Amino acid sequence: QVQLVESGGGLVQPGGSLRLSCAASGSIFRLNTMDWHRQAPGKQRELVARITGGGSTYYVDSVKGRFTISRDNAKNTVYLQMNSLKPEDTAVYYCKLISSAGHYWGQGTQVTVSS
């Protein structure tokens, strides 16, 4: 069974930074694609960033130049460095593991950007 645990969320002021972490455990292949999604109140969940097993990355346009996804394969951990945060970044952020056996979600971590 795969477990994904997000951490690093919190309350920050506009322009601030946070780094989210997602640690995967269980019987998994270490080089799976991993995503960060977010869901704001009243809005649909959206893909924010993706990193493949080969290291290719994708970002939704609204976060390009501000967010960086990375991974530490030895730790089965993916990170999302978030800089220049805006109030519209406020959401619950979810880690997602995509494997040949299925998709797995973390419990989410709250990010609130407010003065």
Side-chain angles (χ1 to χ4, degrees), residues 23-45:
S25 62
S27 183
I28 60 171
F29 178 64
R30 291 181 176 269
L31 297 179
N32 291 301
T33 295
M34 299 187 77
D35 293 349
W36 284 101
H37 294 243
R38 67 185 180 188
Q39 187 165 26
K43 297 183 179 180
Q44 295 184 4
R45 190 172 299 187

Side-chain angles (χ1 to χ4, degrees), residues 1-2 4 6 10 14 17 19 23-24 29-30 42-43 49 51 54-56 58-59 62 68 76 84 88 96 104 112:
Q1 185 174 350
V2 174
L4 301 176
E6 300 100 331
S17 297
R19 189 178 78 156
F29 178 64
R30 291 181 176 269
K43 297 183 179 180
I51 186 164
S56 297
Y58 162 84
Y59 303 93
S62 60
T68 303
N76 278 342
S84 301
E88 51 262 45
K96 181 182 180 181
Y104 304 89
T112 302

